[in-house]
Amino acid sequence: MTAKCLKVVQVLPELNSGGVERGTIEFARELVKLGHQSIVISNGGRQVNKLEAEGSTHIQMPVHKKSLMSLRQVRLMRQQLLALKPDIVHVRSRVPAWIVWLAWRKLPKESRPKLISTFHGLYSVNFYSAVMARAERIIAISDCVHEYILKNYSVSPNKITRIYRGVDPESFNKIASLDAWKDALYAEHPELKNKRIILMPGRLTRWKGQEAFINMMRLLVDANPDFHGVIVGEADPIKEHYKTELLGLCEAKQLQDSISFLGHRSDIQNLYQLAEVTCHMSNKPEPFGRTVPEALAVGCKVVAFDRGGASESMKDAYPQGLVESDNIELFAKKIIELSEDNTDIRLPDAFYLSYQVQETLSVYELALVEQ
């Protein structure tokens, strides 16, 4: 790991909820702990206070809108980079990447920071997405993302490093006692008490698989009415209609008393520990599937469709939980089978934050020594 104090600028659309946002904040905190200078540029959001409290600097810029109007930010971004003089600029999304790249390429070569991108998604293959491959070094968050980059962009394999998104052990670990937390939860949601909780975390969006979860819960409840589904996550304001659809599906399946919608929660670790099983049911390949290693780190069993990045952590840590994609009958049977399994779960080191930080700093080092 580099002994030099680095000035690192991370750029992403916003700092609200989501895995990219949380990962950015965690990485920023670790940079500060290691003596580096951490700066984040975004349009802001509810996690800015946390970021700043942990020692990073936040600069608010409207780098979030998928609009040609965002190109107006290029000049201001160039001025920011000239003033900040960072060693590294790390882009984590396509709109910010365009703004940064257009600003960066017009800087004098001797004044340019090293440009790093992380592919957090299996983006649509087009000119717009290709900006992520223009960085000097590229990080892929899973093997399937690594393969996607090589397949779709003219990038040397030597430019790409696969680094899993790391779980923070300070946030995801086994807590000795949840008694007080449970009392508060049951006061708010009495329907959960004395139930066998089956957890479905994730934003309310069609591809995450909440519909499949509801259909699967009908099978589970038929087998054992003690099973109770818990859907955790919120819908984007423009997708509130999807939550209405999900509530209607619960009603059609007569599951109003067997599935609870908890919305956005900041206590997801405790819910992992309370749950018998966490479900991952995305209906298309997910780049990584952060909920899988988070739940496994806490010791919660996971059942997941065998597709995309989510299956990579499952194969390494809990292969018995993988199920043929889109087969909800097998999914329900697997939950029933594993609910009686007391096998100890150990998440491999490669899925923890410390490993991610070390590997990312190694990528920065490689970039800094290149001409």
Side-chain angles (χ1 to χ4, degrees):
M1 191 174 294
T2 182
K4 177 188 174 185
C5 176
L6 299 178
K7 183 184 285 189
V8 178
V9 173
Q10 298 183 82
V11 193
L12 72 164
E14 296 179 298
L15 283 174
N16 288 308
S17 62
V20 176
E21 292 84 345
R22 192 191 319 159
T24 299
I25 290 169
E26 289 172 351
F27 182 63
R29 183 192 70 213
E30 296 304 306
L31 285 174
V32 172
K33 283 183 180 179
L34 292 169
H36 303 295
Q37 188 173 351
S38 168
I39 301 165
V40 175
I41 298 176
S42 83
N43 189 54
R46 62 172 173 247
Q47 297 200 68
V48 169
N49 289 342
K50 175 178 174 62
L51 175 82
E52 293 179 333
E54 292 175 342
S56 292
T57 299
H58 181 260
I59 298 172
Q60 185 162 351
M61 287 181 62
V63 293
H64 62 302
K65 291 184 179 179
K66 294 180 181 178
S67 166
L68 289 174
M69 300 294 284
S70 292
L71 297 180
R72 291 181 174 180
Q73 302 304 313
V74 171
R75 184 180 177 188
L76 179 58
M77 180 64 74
R78 189 178 300 119
Q79 292 171 349
Q80 289 282 8
L81 295 179
L82 283 169
L84 292 169
K85 295 182 173 60
D87 299 290
I88 302 289
V89 176
H90 191 155
V91 294
R92 297 182 175 275
S93 186
R94 289 170 291 177
V95 172
W98 271 111
I99 295 169
V100 168
W101 181 75
L102 289 169
W104 173 86
R105 70 174 185 159
K106 293 292 186 180
L107 293 172
K109 285 192 176 181
E110 64 274 12
S111 303
R112 284 182 192 166
K114 292 299 180 178
L115 183 58
I116 312 295
S117 71
T118 291
F119 273 73
H120 285 280
L122 300 168
Y123 309 122
S124 53
V125 181
N126 51 35
F127 179 74
Y128 170 58
S129 300
V131 69
M132 299 299 289
R134 294 176 185 262
E136 295 173 289
R137 284 268 165 184
I138 299 168
I139 294 171
I141 64 170
S142 64
D143 289 330
C144 76
V145 172
H146 188 281
E147 292 166 11
Y148 155 86
I149 298 169
L150 290 176
K151 178 182 177 181
N152 294 295
Y153 298 101
S154 299
V155 175
S156 167
N158 294 330
K159 283 181 60 175
I160 310 170
T161 305
R162 191 270 286 144
I163 305 174
Y164 291 128
R165 291 160 66 185
V167 173
D168 180 4
E170 292 183 13
S171 299
F172 296 97
N173 53 57
K174 295 179 183 179
I175 299 172
S177 175
L178 293 175
D179 291 344
W181 172 84
K182 285 181 184 178
D183 290 343
L185 179 70
Y186 295 150
E188 185 179 359
H189 294 280
E191 74 276 12
L192 303 184
K193 192 170 185 179
N194 300 320
K195 292 292 185 177
R196 304 176 72 177
I197 302 302
I198 308 301
L199 186 64
M200 179 67 175
R203 291 191 320 275
L204 300 187
T205 187
R206 209 168 295 277
W207 68 271
K208 283 285 191 179
Q210 284 92 0
E211 292 167 74
F213 176 76
I214 292 168
N215 289 323
M216 187 275 301
M217 281 303 304
R218 181 68 271 168
L219 302 177
L220 270 187
V221 172
D222 286 345
N224 186 341
D226 286 342
F227 285 121
H228 189 98
V230 170
I231 295 177
V232 177
E234 61 186 354
D236 292 335
I238 61 172
K239 294 182 180 178
E240 280 293 333
H241 61 90
Y242 182 57
K243 181 177 180 180
T244 303
E245 286 182 41
L246 294 175
L247 291 168
L249 181 58
C250 285
E251 188 172 344
K253 294 287 181 180
Q254 298 184 326
L255 288 168
Q256 306 98 306
D257 298 329
S258 299
I259 295 180
S260 299
F261 288 75
L262 270 56
H264 174 75
R265 302 284 300 202
S266 58
D267 54 358
I268 187 66
Q269 150 155 326
N270 296 3
L271 289 166
Y272 286 140
Q273 194 161 334
L274 178 68
E276 292 221 6
V277 174
T278 293
C279 300
H280 191 282
M281 305 183 77
S282 296
N283 54 37
K284 66 179 183 180
E286 193 162 354
F288 182 68
R290 190 178 182 115
T291 58
V292 171
E294 286 178 351
L296 293 173
V298 173
C300 180
K301 292 163 279 193
V302 176
V303 177
F305 288 144
D306 188 4
R307 62 154 57 103
S311 68
E312 293 176 34
S313 44
M314 290 291 289
K315 286 173 181 174
D316 281 348
Y318 198 66
Q320 58 267 49
L322 284 171
V323 172
E324 176 190 1
S325 296
D326 304 318
N327 191 327
I328 64 169
E329 290 81 8
L330 277 180
F331 205 102
K333 288 179 181 177
K334 180 64 72 172
I335 288 177
I336 294 169
E337 171 193 331
L338 292 180
S339 65
E340 307 302 327
D341 180 21
N342 294 317
T343 303
D344 188 46
I345 298 169
R346 184 187 180 280
L347 188 65
D349 291 344
F351 293 95
Y352 278 101
L353 180 60
S354 58
Y355 188 90
Q356 176 201 335
V357 171
Q358 179 184 343
E359 292 298 292
T360 302
L361 287 172
S362 294
V363 170
Y364 291 174
E365 284 184 355
L366 286 172
L368 287 166
V369 299
E370 292 170 340
Q371 300 300 318

